[in-house]
Amino acid sequence: MTRKFFVCGNWKMNGSKKSIGELIQTLNTAKLDPNVEVVCAAPAIYLELTRSELDPKFSVAAQNCYIVPSGGFTGEISPAMIKDCGMDWVILGHSTRRHIFGESNEFIGQKIAHAQENDLGVIVCIGETREEKEKGITDQVIFAQMKAIADNVKDWSKVVLAYEPVWAIGTGKTASPQQAQEVHDKLREWLKTNVSEAVANSVRIIYGGSVTGGTCKELASQKDVDGFLVGGASLKPEFIDIINAKA
């Protein structure tokens, strides 16, 4: 099965009206591979600005959401609000949310379920820390994360899995193409065993963790790497090179 290549730029807590406007102009005028689905995840306060100025061929994602439609949850946004403002996706389970804000596998699972109830596409992040990698428990960690995801997904066509080894995020260290392929293959086998062969073959598994214009082509050549979740490089012109990694 051919899986459409998927590249999401996670802008994190970066940008201003001016810099985001310049980035949008770069994206809108760039020559891009038409066979790639591109999503930009803007900070919540800039979501509507991004959606209004970005070419409609791009999708826009929120970087987080809560587990109920509305209520007394200061500082949170709901999937219903995200959809109401014209966004198609939300990033959930990013290592920032897991390790700085203490979100558990179970809580992330609840967020996935609620996002799906609102027909919002979900980019779900999984990955091991440096300590977990050194202890040799990568498989144990990512399979526990996968179970919490699978228990809450009703529509796999609206899910993209992002493998982001925590030790590679923002550190300049990237998993080798072979390391990335090995984990992506294990994730696909897990899906085949625990969900279905059809889902295992169709769901897109993308890689994140210091992806750059220099590392993207070899990573993209791996058979189970279906795209990228890009952090810092998504704020620079080299994001175009990453989108075009398969071209």
Side-chain angles (χ1 to χ4, degrees), residues 88-92 111-112 115-116 120-124 158-161:
D88 304 304
W89 295 88
V90 63
I91 297 173
L92 294 174
K111 290 186 174 193
I112 293 166
Q116 288 231 311
L120 197 58
V122 181
I123 301 159
V124 197
K158 287 186 167 289
V159 174
V160 170
L161 296 171

Side-chain angles (χ1 to χ4, degrees), residues 197-209:
E197 188 163 2
V199 166
N201 289 334
S202 63
V203 76
R204 290 174 290 185
I205 306 175
I206 64 176
Y207 172 78

Side-chain angles (χ1 to χ4, degrees), residues 45-141:
I45 200 164
Y46 297 128
L47 280 170
E48 279 202 280
L49 169 73
T50 302
R51 181 62 288 166
S52 66
E53 296 191 7
L54 199 59
D55 189 296
K57 69 185 176 192
F58 301 103
S59 293
V60 179
Q63 297 177 13
N64 187 32
C65 71
Y66 197 55
I67 58 173
V68 294
S70 61
F73 303 100
T74 303
E76 294 293 333
I77 58 173
S78 70
M81 292 172 176
I82 295 165
K83 285 289 284 188
D84 189 38
C85 291
M87 314 312 146
D88 304 304
W89 295 88
V90 63
I91 297 173
L92 294 174
H94 192 277
S95 64
T96 302
R97 307 302 314 176
R98 292 179 186 272
H99 299 291
I100 295 178
F101 296 100
E103 294 186 6
S104 66
N105 286 341
E106 292 69 30
F107 187 47
I108 291 159
Q110 290 177 286
K111 290 186 174 193
I112 293 166
H114 188 56
Q116 288 231 311
E117 284 168 15
N118 285 269
D119 200 32
L120 197 58
V122 181
I123 301 159
V124 197
C125 305
I126 58 173
E128 80 283 12
T129 63
R130 165 67 66 191
E131 293 74 22
E132 289 161 345
K133 182 174 187 284
E134 286 173 353
K135 283 181 188 169
I137 58 171
T138 293
D139 291 5
Q140 191 179 324
V141 169

